[in-house]
Amino acid sequence: TVMRSPNPFTLSTYAGPRFFCDRKKETAFVIEAIKNNRNLTLISYRRLGKSGLIKHVFHKLGNEKGMQLLYIDLMDTEDLSGFVQLLAKEIIGKADGQTLRFIKSFGKAIKSLRPLITVDPLTGHPVIEISMQPDASPEITLKEVFAYLQKQRKKIVIALDEFQQILGYPEKNTEAVLRKHIQQLTNTCFIYSGSRKHLLTSMFSDAGRPFFQSTDFLDLTTIENGEYSHFISSWFKKDGREIDREAVQSLLSLSRGH
């Protein structure tokens, strides 16, 4: 007897296009912005799928030659130093199987960072660790990392998820510092996304703020009811189960489309 999985749905992370519902227009919008070198601000309330949309777009662009896709979740960062270390870790993590050699060249280019490979004692898998030199300035390190990106012979896309987190950094000029360095990059485009809608909107819409009118906007709303209903019903059917339309509509109503 073949045992059925207790739940045919994937809930925790992006699991590929088969498990991704709709967002066709939004996906096309983001891809068009990237291919036309336009920065984009992606805003939605929590649990509406903005991170999944970014990862879906990156999946679709994954086979594009000469393109490097970097995704950084800033939610747990507390200062500019944490921001820089996460960015550097993501860059090294995309070193395409030449990690050891890449770490050496990256370490030479970014003097104030110390990249290391350690081994996870539980899994035995290599783990990349990034630390800053004791006397290093986070702003100077950021400048070095962006200068390194500018020298790369490829198009770079950087998604900064929960971007409004930088507003809580102790460095009060973080917005201005990031904007100053970002606008000097000619081979890199950015996706700024976040769930604190009013904070992110103010950053890009208020005159006088460093990022004022520097991006396109995409306001992510709920998935269209019919598309979501069909998606749910079809996965029940694929798993050998049934659910009637009224139950699906009741669930979508209770969850308000989340």
Side-chain angles (χ1 to χ4, degrees), residues 181-245:
H181 294 306
I182 284 171
Q183 65 187 359
Q184 294 172 4
L185 296 174
T186 58
N187 63 337
T188 305
C189 69
F190 287 80
I191 301 171
Y192 309 98
S193 70
S195 53
R196 302 284 298 277
K197 206 167 182 179
H198 65 290
L199 292 178
L200 211 58
T201 300
S202 294
M203 289 176 72
F204 292 91
S205 300
D206 290 357
R209 299 284 288 270
F211 283 93
F212 174 61
Q213 291 188 344
S214 61
T215 74
D216 284 352
F217 267 89
L218 177 58
D219 193 350
L220 203 64
T221 57
T222 55
I223 294 169
E224 195 273 323
N225 191 290
E227 288 280 358
Y228 217 166
S229 177
H230 174 73
F231 177 81
I232 293 168
S233 299
S234 67
W235 273 105
F236 267 84
K237 188 175 181 180
K238 287 172 187 174
D239 202 53
R241 308 169 192 236
E242 288 185 11
I243 183 170
D244 38 56
R245 180 172 295 185

Short mmCIF file of all heavy atoms in Angstrom, two decimals, residues 181-245:
data_model
loop_
_atom_site.label_atom_id
_atom_site.label_comp_id
_atom_site.label_asym_id
_atom_site.label_seq_id
_atom_site.Cartn_x
_atom_site.Cartn_y
_atom_site.Cartn_z
N HIS A 181 25.87 54.62 -2.48
CA HIS A 181 26.66 53.56 -3.11
C HIS A 181 25.86 52.82 -4.18
O HIS A 181 26.41 52.45 -5.23
CB HIS A 181 27.16 52.58 -2.05
CG HIS A 181 28.14 53.17 -1.09
ND1 HIS A 181 29.29 53.83 -1.50
CD2 HIS A 181 28.15 53.25 0.26
CE1 HIS A 181 29.96 54.25 -0.45
NE2 HIS A 181 29.29 53.92 0.64
N ILE A 182 24.57 52.62 -3.93
CA ILE A 182 23.74 51.88 -4.89
C ILE A 182 23.64 52.61 -6.22
O ILE A 182 23.70 51.99 -7.29
CB ILE A 182 22.34 51.63 -4.29
CG1 ILE A 182 22.42 50.50 -3.26
CG2 ILE A 182 21.31 51.29 -5.37
CD1 ILE A 182 21.15 50.29 -2.44
N GLN A 183 23.49 53.94 -6.19
CA GLN A 183 23.30 54.67 -7.44
C GLN A 183 24.57 54.71 -8.30
O GLN A 183 24.52 55.09 -9.46
CB GLN A 183 22.80 56.08 -7.17
CG GLN A 183 23.75 56.98 -6.44
CD GLN A 183 23.09 58.32 -6.08
OE1 GLN A 183 21.93 58.54 -6.39
NE2 GLN A 183 23.83 59.20 -5.42
N GLN A 184 25.70 54.26 -7.74
CA GLN A 184 26.94 54.22 -8.51
C GLN A 184 27.12 52.90 -9.25
O GLN A 184 28.03 52.77 -10.07
CB GLN A 184 28.13 54.48 -7.58
CG GLN A 184 28.15 55.89 -7.00
CD GLN A 184 29.21 56.08 -5.93
OE1 GLN A 184 30.00 55.18 -5.66
NE2 GLN A 184 29.24 57.26 -5.32
N LEU A 185 26.28 51.91 -8.94
CA LEU A 185 26.39 50.60 -9.59
C LEU A 185 25.69 50.64 -10.94
O LEU A 185 24.53 51.02 -11.03
CB LEU A 185 25.77 49.52 -8.71
CG LEU A 185 26.43 49.27 -7.36
CD1 LEU A 185 25.62 48.27 -6.56
CD2 LEU A 185 27.86 48.78 -7.52
N THR A 186 26.39 50.24 -11.98
CA THR A 186 25.82 50.26 -13.33
C THR A 186 25.41 48.88 -13.83
O THR A 186 24.71 48.77 -14.83
CB THR A 186 26.83 50.87 -14.32
OG1 THR A 186 28.04 50.09 -14.30
CG2 THR A 186 27.16 52.31 -13.96
N ASN A 187 25.84 47.83 -13.14
CA ASN A 187 25.54 46.46 -13.58
C ASN A 187 24.60 45.73 -12.63
O ASN A 187 24.43 44.52 -12.72
CB ASN A 187 26.84 45.66 -13.71
CG ASN A 187 27.55 45.50 -12.37
OD1 ASN A 187 27.34 46.30 -11.45
ND2 ASN A 187 28.40 44.49 -12.25
N THR A 188 24.00 46.47 -11.70
CA THR A 188 23.21 45.85 -10.64
C THR A 188 21.84 46.51 -10.52
O THR A 188 21.74 47.74 -10.55
CB THR A 188 23.94 45.96 -9.28
OG1 THR A 188 25.25 45.41 -9.39
CG2 THR A 188 23.18 45.22 -8.19
N CYS A 189 20.79 45.70 -10.42
CA CYS A 189 19.49 46.26 -10.11
C CYS A 189 18.97 45.63 -8.82
O CYS A 189 19.38 44.53 -8.44
CB CYS A 189 18.50 46.11 -11.26
SG CYS A 189 17.96 44.45 -11.60
N PHE A 190 18.08 46.35 -8.14
CA PHE A 190 17.65 45.98 -6.81
C PHE A 190 16.14 45.78 -6.75
O PHE A 190 15.38 46.49 -7.41
CB PHE A 190 18.04 47.06 -5.79
CG PHE A 190 19.51 47.11 -5.48
CD1 PHE A 190 20.40 47.73 -6.33
CD2 PHE A 190 20.00 46.52 -4.32
CE1 PHE A 190 21.76 47.77 -6.05
CE2 PHE A 190 21.36 46.55 -4.02
CZ PHE A 190 22.23 47.17 -4.88
N ILE A 191 15.73 44.80 -5.93
CA ILE A 191 14.33 44.65 -5.54
C ILE A 191 14.27 44.89 -4.04
O ILE A 191 14.90 44.17 -3.26
CB ILE A 191 13.80 43.24 -5.86
CG1 ILE A 191 13.91 42.93 -7.35
CG2 ILE A 191 12.36 43.09 -5.39
CD1 ILE A 191 13.60 41.48 -7.70
N TYR A 192 13.56 45.93 -3.65
CA TYR A 192 13.37 46.22 -2.23
C TYR A 192 11.97 45.74 -1.86
O TYR A 192 10.98 46.18 -2.44
CB TYR A 192 13.46 47.72 -1.97
CG TYR A 192 14.69 48.39 -2.55
CD1 TYR A 192 14.62 49.07 -3.77
CD2 TYR A 192 15.91 48.36 -1.88
CE1 TYR A 192 15.74 49.68 -4.30
CE2 TYR A 192 17.03 48.98 -2.41
CZ TYR A 192 16.94 49.64 -3.63
OH TYR A 192 18.05 50.26 -4.15
N SER A 193 11.87 44.85 -0.89
CA SER A 193 10.54 44.36 -0.53
C SER A 193 10.36 44.45 0.97
O SER A 193 11.32 44.44 1.74
CB SER A 193 10.33 42.93 -1.03
OG SER A 193 11.14 42.04 -0.29
N GLY A 194 9.09 44.54 1.38
CA GLY A 194 8.82 44.62 2.80
C GLY A 194 7.35 44.51 3.11
O GLY A 194 6.49 44.66 2.24
N SER A 195 7.06 44.22 4.38
CA SER A 195 5.68 44.04 4.82
C SER A 195 5.20 45.17 5.73
O SER A 195 4.03 45.22 6.08
CB SER A 195 5.54 42.69 5.56
OG SER A 195 6.50 42.60 6.59
N ARG A 196 6.10 46.08 6.12
CA ARG A 196 5.69 47.26 6.89
C ARG A 196 5.36 48.35 5.88
O ARG A 196 6.19 49.20 5.53
CB ARG A 196 6.81 47.69 7.84
CG ARG A 196 7.24 46.63 8.82
CD ARG A 196 6.26 46.43 9.96
NE ARG A 196 6.12 47.63 10.78
CZ ARG A 196 6.97 47.97 11.76
NH1 ARG A 196 8.02 47.19 12.02
NH2 ARG A 196 6.77 49.06 12.46
N LYS A 197 4.13 48.29 5.39
CA LYS A 197 3.73 49.03 4.20
C LYS A 197 3.97 50.54 4.32
O LYS A 197 4.53 51.17 3.41
CB LYS A 197 2.25 48.75 3.91
CG LYS A 197 1.85 48.89 2.47
CD LYS A 197 0.47 48.28 2.25
CE LYS A 197 0.07 48.39 0.78
NZ LYS A 197 -1.24 47.79 0.52
N HIS A 198 3.55 51.12 5.43
CA HIS A 198 3.67 52.58 5.56
C HIS A 198 5.12 53.03 5.63
O HIS A 198 5.49 54.07 5.09
CB HIS A 198 2.89 53.06 6.79
CG HIS A 198 3.43 52.57 8.10
ND1 HIS A 198 3.35 51.26 8.49
CD2 HIS A 198 4.07 53.24 9.10
CE1 HIS A 198 3.91 51.12 9.68
NE2 HIS A 198 4.36 52.30 10.07
N LEU A 199 5.97 52.22 6.28
CA LEU A 199 7.39 52.57 6.38
C LEU A 199 8.07 52.53 5.01
O LEU A 199 8.80 53.44 4.63
CB LEU A 199 8.11 51.62 7.34
CG LEU A 199 7.75 51.70 8.82
CD1 LEU A 199 8.52 50.66 9.61
CD2 LEU A 199 8.03 53.10 9.37
N LEU A 200 7.81 51.45 4.27
CA LEU A 200 8.45 51.29 2.96
C LEU A 200 7.93 52.33 1.96
O LEU A 200 8.71 52.88 1.18
CB LEU A 200 8.20 49.87 2.44
CG LEU A 200 9.29 49.27 1.55
CD1 LEU A 200 10.62 49.23 2.27
CD2 LEU A 200 8.91 47.88 1.11
N THR A 201 6.63 52.59 2.01
CA THR A 201 6.07 53.60 1.11
C THR A 201 6.68 54.96 1.37
O THR A 201 7.03 55.69 0.43
CB THR A 201 4.53 53.67 1.29
OG1 THR A 201 3.97 52.39 1.00
CG2 THR A 201 3.93 54.70 0.35
N SER A 202 6.85 55.32 2.63
CA SER A 202 7.45 56.62 2.97
C SER A 202 8.89 56.72 2.46
O SER A 202 9.31 57.77 1.97
CB SER A 202 7.44 56.82 4.49
OG SER A 202 6.13 56.94 4.97
N MET A 203 9.63 55.63 2.55
CA MET A 203 11.03 55.66 2.12
C MET A 203 11.17 56.03 0.65
O MET A 203 12.11 56.72 0.26
CB MET A 203 11.68 54.29 2.36
CG MET A 203 11.91 53.96 3.82
SD MET A 203 12.57 52.28 4.03
CE MET A 203 14.23 52.48 3.41
N PHE A 204 10.21 55.57 -0.17
CA PHE A 204 10.34 55.76 -1.61
C PHE A 204 9.41 56.84 -2.17
O PHE A 204 9.53 57.19 -3.34
CB PHE A 204 10.08 54.43 -2.33
CG PHE A 204 11.15 53.41 -2.08
CD1 PHE A 204 11.04 52.51 -1.02
CD2 PHE A 204 12.28 53.34 -2.88
CE1 PHE A 204 12.03 51.58 -0.77
CE2 PHE A 204 13.28 52.41 -2.64
CZ PHE A 204 13.15 51.53 -1.58
N SER A 205 8.51 57.36 -1.34
CA SER A 205 7.53 58.33 -1.84
C SER A 205 7.65 59.72 -1.24
O SER A 205 7.07 60.67 -1.76
CB SER A 205 6.10 57.81 -1.59
OG SER A 205 5.89 56.59 -2.25
N ASP A 206 8.38 59.85 -0.13
CA ASP A 206 8.49 61.15 0.53
C ASP A 206 9.65 61.95 -0.05
O ASP A 206 10.80 61.48 -0.04
CB ASP A 206 8.70 60.99 2.03
CG ASP A 206 7.45 60.47 2.74
OD1 ASP A 206 6.42 60.31 2.06
OD2 ASP A 206 7.51 60.25 3.96
N ALA A 207 9.35 63.14 -0.55
CA ALA A 207 10.40 64.02 -1.07
C ALA A 207 11.39 64.32 0.05
O ALA A 207 11.02 64.54 1.19
CB ALA A 207 9.78 65.31 -1.61
N GLY A 208 12.66 64.32 -0.30
CA GLY A 208 13.68 64.58 0.70
C GLY A 208 14.33 63.33 1.25
O GLY A 208 15.41 63.40 1.83
N ARG A 209 13.66 62.15 1.08
CA ARG A 209 14.28 60.89 1.52
C ARG A 209 15.25 60.42 0.43
O ARG A 209 15.00 60.61 -0.77
CB ARG A 209 13.20 59.82 1.77
CG ARG A 209 12.18 60.16 2.84
CD ARG A 209 12.72 60.01 4.24
NE ARG A 209 12.90 58.63 4.65
CZ ARG A 209 11.99 57.88 5.26
NH1 ARG A 209 10.78 58.37 5.49
NH2 ARG A 209 12.28 56.65 5.65
N PRO A 210 16.35 59.77 0.81
CA PRO A 210 17.38 59.38 -0.17
C PRO A 210 16.88 58.51 -1.32
O PRO A 210 17.38 58.62 -2.44
CB PRO A 210 18.40 58.61 0.69
CG PRO A 210 18.24 59.18 2.06
CD PRO A 210 16.78 59.49 2.20
N PHE A 211 15.88 57.64 -1.06
CA PHE A 211 15.40 56.73 -2.10
C PHE A 211 14.17 57.27 -2.84
O PHE A 211 13.54 56.54 -3.60
CB PHE A 211 15.07 55.36 -1.50
CG PHE A 211 16.28 54.51 -1.21
CD1 PHE A 211 16.88 54.53 0.05
CD2 PHE A 211 16.83 53.70 -2.18
CE1 PHE A 211 17.99 53.75 0.33
CE2 PHE A 211 17.95 52.92 -1.92
CZ PHE A 211 18.53 52.94 -0.66
N PHE A 212 13.86 58.53 -2.66
CA PHE A 212 12.66 59.13 -3.25
C PHE A 212 12.60 58.91 -4.77
O PHE A 212 13.53 59.23 -5.50
CB PHE A 212 12.64 60.63 -2.95
CG PHE A 212 11.52 61.39 -3.61
CD1 PHE A 212 10.20 61.08 -3.36
CD2 PHE A 212 11.80 62.43 -4.50
CE1 PHE A 212 9.16 61.78 -3.96
CE2 PHE A 212 10.77 63.13 -5.11
CZ PHE A 212 9.45 62.81 -4.84
N GLN A 213 11.51 58.29 -5.23
CA GLN A 213 11.23 58.05 -6.65
C GLN A 213 12.38 57.38 -7.40
O GLN A 213 12.65 57.68 -8.55
CB GLN A 213 10.85 59.37 -7.34
CG GLN A 213 9.50 59.91 -6.88
CD GLN A 213 9.03 61.10 -7.70
OE1 GLN A 213 9.81 61.73 -8.42
NE2 GLN A 213 7.75 61.42 -7.59
N SER A 214 13.05 56.45 -6.73
CA SER A 214 14.19 55.77 -7.37
C SER A 214 13.82 54.40 -7.93
O SER A 214 14.68 53.71 -8.48
CB SER A 214 15.35 55.63 -6.37
OG SER A 214 14.95 54.85 -5.25
N THR A 215 12.54 54.00 -7.78
CA THR A 215 12.14 52.66 -8.21
C THR A 215 10.74 52.66 -8.82
O THR A 215 9.96 53.60 -8.63
CB THR A 215 12.12 51.67 -7.02
OG1 THR A 215 10.98 51.95 -6.20
CG2 THR A 215 13.38 51.74 -6.20
N ASP A 216 10.43 51.56 -9.51
CA ASP A 216 9.05 51.25 -9.85
C ASP A 216 8.38 50.67 -8.59
O ASP A 216 9.07 50.22 -7.66
CB ASP A 216 8.97 50.21 -10.96
CG ASP A 216 9.29 50.80 -12.33
OD1 ASP A 216 9.41 52.03 -12.42
OD2 ASP A 216 9.43 50.02 -13.28
N PHE A 217 7.04 50.64 -8.59
CA PHE A 217 6.31 50.09 -7.45
C PHE A 217 5.45 48.91 -7.89
O PHE A 217 4.86 48.92 -8.97
CB PHE A 217 5.38 51.15 -6.84
CG PHE A 217 5.99 51.91 -5.70
CD1 PHE A 217 6.72 53.07 -5.93
CD2 PHE A 217 5.85 51.46 -4.39
CE1 PHE A 217 7.29 53.77 -4.89
CE2 PHE A 217 6.41 52.16 -3.34
CZ PHE A 217 7.12 53.32 -3.58
N LEU A 218 5.39 47.89 -7.03
CA LEU A 218 4.44 46.80 -7.21
C LEU A 218 3.80 46.51 -5.86
O LEU A 218 4.47 46.10 -4.91
CB LEU A 218 5.13 45.53 -7.74
CG LEU A 218 4.24 44.30 -7.90
CD1 LEU A 218 3.08 44.58 -8.84
CD2 LEU A 218 5.04 43.11 -8.40
N ASP A 219 2.50 46.79 -5.77
CA ASP A 219 1.74 46.55 -4.54
C ASP A 219 1.06 45.19 -4.67
O ASP A 219 0.14 45.02 -5.47
CB ASP A 219 0.70 47.66 -4.35
CG ASP A 219 0.11 47.66 -2.95
OD1 ASP A 219 0.35 46.69 -2.21
OD2 ASP A 219 -0.59 48.63 -2.61
N LEU A 220 1.53 44.22 -3.91
CA LEU A 220 1.04 42.84 -4.03
C LEU A 220 -0.23 42.67 -3.20
O LEU A 220 -0.23 42.93 -2.00
CB LEU A 220 2.12 41.88 -3.54
CG LEU A 220 2.06 40.44 -4.06
CD1 LEU A 220 2.27 40.41 -5.56
CD2 LEU A 220 3.10 39.59 -3.35
N THR A 221 -1.30 42.26 -3.87
CA THR A 221 -2.57 42.01 -3.18
C THR A 221 -2.84 40.50 -3.16
O THR A 221 -1.99 39.70 -3.54
CB THR A 221 -3.72 42.76 -3.88
OG1 THR A 221 -3.78 42.34 -5.25
CG2 THR A 221 -3.48 44.27 -3.84
N THR A 222 -4.04 40.12 -2.72
CA THR A 222 -4.37 38.70 -2.64
C THR A 222 -4.49 38.08 -4.04
O THR A 222 -4.77 38.77 -5.01
CB THR A 222 -5.69 38.48 -1.87
OG1 THR A 222 -6.71 39.25 -2.51
CG2 THR A 222 -5.56 38.90 -0.43
N ILE A 223 -4.29 36.79 -4.10
CA ILE A 223 -4.44 36.04 -5.35
C ILE A 223 -5.92 36.02 -5.73
O ILE A 223 -6.79 35.90 -4.87
CB ILE A 223 -3.90 34.62 -5.20
CG1 ILE A 223 -2.38 34.66 -4.96
CG2 ILE A 223 -4.21 33.76 -6.42
CD1 ILE A 223 -1.78 33.33 -4.54
N GLU A 224 -6.19 36.14 -7.03
CA GLU A 224 -7.57 36.16 -7.52
C GLU A 224 -8.30 34.89 -7.08
O GLU A 224 -7.77 33.78 -7.14
CB GLU A 224 -7.55 36.27 -9.04
CG GLU A 224 -8.87 36.67 -9.67
CD GLU A 224 -9.75 35.45 -9.94
OE1 GLU A 224 -9.19 34.40 -10.32
OE2 GLU A 224 -10.97 35.56 -9.75
N ASN A 225 -9.52 35.06 -6.60
CA ASN A 225 -10.28 34.00 -5.96
C ASN A 225 -10.41 32.74 -6.84
O ASN A 225 -10.20 31.62 -6.38
CB ASN A 225 -11.66 34.53 -5.57
CG ASN A 225 -12.42 33.57 -4.67
OD1 ASN A 225 -12.85 32.52 -5.11
ND2 ASN A 225 -12.58 33.96 -3.41
N GLY A 226 -10.76 32.93 -8.11
CA GLY A 226 -10.95 31.78 -9.01
C GLY A 226 -9.68 30.99 -9.21
O GLY A 226 -9.69 29.75 -9.21
N GLU A 227 -8.55 31.70 -9.39
CA GLU A 227 -7.26 31.03 -9.57
C GLU A 227 -6.88 30.22 -8.33
O GLU A 227 -6.41 29.09 -8.43
CB GLU A 227 -6.17 32.08 -9.86
CG GLU A 227 -6.26 32.73 -11.22
CD GLU A 227 -5.68 31.84 -12.32
OE1 GLU A 227 -5.18 30.75 -12.03
OE2 GLU A 227 -5.74 32.27 -13.49
N TYR A 228 -7.07 30.85 -7.17
CA TYR A 228 -6.69 30.17 -5.93
C TYR A 228 -7.58 28.95 -5.68
O TYR A 228 -7.11 27.89 -5.24
CB TYR A 228 -6.81 31.15 -4.76
CG TYR A 228 -5.73 31.00 -3.71
CD1 TYR A 228 -5.53 31.99 -2.75
CD2 TYR A 228 -4.93 29.86 -3.65
CE1 TYR A 228 -4.56 31.87 -1.78
CE2 TYR A 228 -3.95 29.73 -2.69
CZ TYR A 228 -3.77 30.73 -1.75
OH TYR A 228 -2.81 30.60 -0.78
N SER A 229 -8.87 29.09 -5.96
CA SER A 229 -9.81 27.99 -5.78
C SER A 229 -9.43 26.80 -6.65
O SER A 229 -9.42 25.64 -6.20
CB SER A 229 -11.22 28.46 -6.12
OG SER A 229 -12.14 27.41 -6.01
N HIS A 230 -9.10 27.07 -7.92
CA HIS A 230 -8.71 25.99 -8.84
C HIS A 230 -7.41 25.33 -8.36
O HIS A 230 -7.28 24.10 -8.41
CB HIS A 230 -8.51 26.56 -10.24
CG HIS A 230 -7.97 25.57 -11.22
ND1 HIS A 230 -8.72 24.53 -11.73
CD2 HIS A 230 -6.73 25.45 -11.77
CE1 HIS A 230 -7.97 23.81 -12.55
NE2 HIS A 230 -6.76 24.35 -12.59
N PHE A 231 -6.46 26.11 -7.89
CA PHE A 231 -5.17 25.60 -7.41
C PHE A 231 -5.40 24.64 -6.24
O PHE A 231 -4.85 23.53 -6.21
CB PHE A 231 -4.29 26.77 -6.98
CG PHE A 231 -2.96 26.39 -6.40
CD1 PHE A 231 -1.90 26.06 -7.21
CD2 PHE A 231 -2.77 26.39 -5.02
CE1 PHE A 231 -0.66 25.72 -6.68
CE2 PHE A 231 -1.54 26.05 -4.47
CZ PHE A 231 -0.48 25.72 -5.30
N ILE A 232 -6.21 25.05 -5.28
CA ILE A 232 -6.48 24.21 -4.10
C ILE A 232 -7.17 22.92 -4.50
O ILE A 232 -6.75 21.82 -4.11
CB ILE A 232 -7.34 25.00 -3.09
CG1 ILE A 232 -6.54 26.18 -2.52
CG2 ILE A 232 -7.82 24.09 -1.96
CD1 ILE A 232 -7.38 27.17 -1.74
N SER A 233 -8.22 23.03 -5.32
CA SER A 233 -8.98 21.85 -5.73
C SER A 233 -8.12 20.87 -6.51
O SER A 233 -8.21 19.65 -6.33
CB SER A 233 -10.19 22.27 -6.57
OG SER A 233 -11.06 23.09 -5.82
N SER A 234 -7.25 21.41 -7.40
CA SER A 234 -6.43 20.54 -8.24
C SER A 234 -5.42 19.75 -7.41
O SER A 234 -5.14 18.58 -7.70
CB SER A 234 -5.71 21.35 -9.32
OG SER A 234 -4.75 22.22 -8.75
N TRP A 235 -4.89 20.35 -6.34
CA TRP A 235 -3.93 19.62 -5.51
C TRP A 235 -4.61 18.57 -4.65
O TRP A 235 -4.04 17.52 -4.35
CB TRP A 235 -3.09 20.58 -4.67
CG TRP A 235 -1.89 21.03 -5.44
CD1 TRP A 235 -1.67 22.24 -6.03
CD2 TRP A 235 -0.75 20.24 -5.76
NE1 TRP A 235 -0.47 22.25 -6.70
CE2 TRP A 235 0.12 21.03 -6.54
CE3 TRP A 235 -0.37 18.93 -5.45
CZ2 TRP A 235 1.34 20.56 -7.02
CZ3 TRP A 235 0.85 18.46 -5.93
CH2 TRP A 235 1.68 19.27 -6.71
N PHE A 236 -5.84 18.84 -4.24
CA PHE A 236 -6.59 17.79 -3.56
C PHE A 236 -6.78 16.60 -4.51
O PHE A 236 -6.58 15.44 -4.13
CB PHE A 236 -7.96 18.32 -3.13
CG PHE A 236 -7.98 18.86 -1.72
CD1 PHE A 236 -7.58 20.16 -1.46
CD2 PHE A 236 -8.41 18.07 -0.66
CE1 PHE A 236 -7.60 20.67 -0.18
CE2 PHE A 236 -8.43 18.57 0.63
CZ PHE A 236 -8.02 19.87 0.88
N LYS A 237 -7.15 16.90 -5.76
CA LYS A 237 -7.41 15.85 -6.75
C LYS A 237 -6.14 15.04 -7.05
O LYS A 237 -6.19 13.82 -7.13
CB LYS A 237 -7.95 16.49 -8.03
CG LYS A 237 -8.43 15.48 -9.06
CD LYS A 237 -9.07 16.19 -10.25
CE LYS A 237 -9.57 15.18 -11.27
NZ LYS A 237 -10.21 15.86 -12.44
N LYS A 238 -4.99 15.75 -7.20
CA LYS A 238 -3.74 15.05 -7.48
C LYS A 238 -3.35 14.12 -6.34
O LYS A 238 -2.66 13.12 -6.55
CB LYS A 238 -2.62 16.07 -7.72
CG LYS A 238 -2.72 16.79 -9.05
CD LYS A 238 -1.71 17.92 -9.14
CE LYS A 238 -1.93 18.74 -10.40
NZ LYS A 238 -1.07 19.95 -10.45
N ASP A 239 -3.77 14.44 -5.14
CA ASP A 239 -3.44 13.61 -3.98
C ASP A 239 -4.51 12.56 -3.70
O ASP A 239 -4.50 11.91 -2.65
CB ASP A 239 -3.25 14.52 -2.75
CG ASP A 239 -2.40 13.85 -1.68
OD1 ASP A 239 -1.30 13.40 -1.99
OD2 ASP A 239 -2.86 13.78 -0.51
N GLY A 240 -5.48 12.43 -4.62
CA GLY A 240 -6.52 11.42 -4.48
C GLY A 240 -7.58 11.78 -3.46
O GLY A 240 -8.19 10.89 -2.85
N ARG A 241 -7.83 13.05 -3.27
CA ARG A 241 -8.84 13.50 -2.31
C ARG A 241 -9.84 14.40 -3.01
O ARG A 241 -9.64 14.81 -4.15
CB ARG A 241 -8.18 14.28 -1.16
CG ARG A 241 -7.02 13.56 -0.49
CD ARG A 241 -6.26 14.49 0.44
NE ARG A 241 -4.99 13.90 0.85
CZ ARG A 241 -4.64 13.71 2.12
NH1 ARG A 241 -5.46 14.04 3.09
NH2 ARG A 241 -3.46 13.18 2.40
N GLU A 242 -10.89 14.73 -2.30
CA GLU A 242 -11.89 15.63 -2.87
C GLU A 242 -12.22 16.72 -1.85
O GLU A 242 -12.17 16.50 -0.64
CB GLU A 242 -13.18 14.87 -3.21
CG GLU A 242 -13.05 13.96 -4.42
CD GLU A 242 -14.39 13.33 -4.80
OE1 GLU A 242 -15.42 13.78 -4.25
OE2 GLU A 242 -14.39 12.40 -5.62
N ILE A 243 -12.54 17.89 -2.37
CA ILE A 243 -13.04 18.98 -1.53
C ILE A 243 -14.07 19.73 -2.36
O ILE A 243 -13.87 19.99 -3.54
CB ILE A 243 -11.89 19.92 -1.08
CG1 ILE A 243 -12.44 21.00 -0.13
CG2 ILE A 243 -11.15 20.53 -2.25
CD1 ILE A 243 -11.34 21.82 0.55
N ASP A 244 -15.25 20.02 -1.78
CA ASP A 244 -16.24 20.70 -2.60
C ASP A 244 -16.00 22.20 -2.64
O ASP A 244 -15.33 22.77 -1.79
CB ASP A 244 -17.69 20.38 -2.20
CG ASP A 244 -17.93 20.26 -0.73
OD1 ASP A 244 -17.62 21.20 0.01
OD2 ASP A 244 -18.43 19.21 -0.38
N ARG A 245 -16.53 22.80 -3.69
CA ARG A 245 -16.29 24.21 -3.98
C ARG A 245 -16.69 25.10 -2.81
O ARG A 245 -16.02 26.07 -2.50
CB ARG A 245 -17.05 24.61 -5.24
CG ARG A 245 -16.86 26.06 -5.63
CD ARG A 245 -17.48 26.36 -6.97
NE ARG A 245 -16.82 25.64 -8.05
CZ ARG A 245 -17.12 25.80 -9.33
NH1 ARG A 245 -18.08 26.63 -9.68
NH2 ARG A 245 -16.47 25.13 -10.26
#
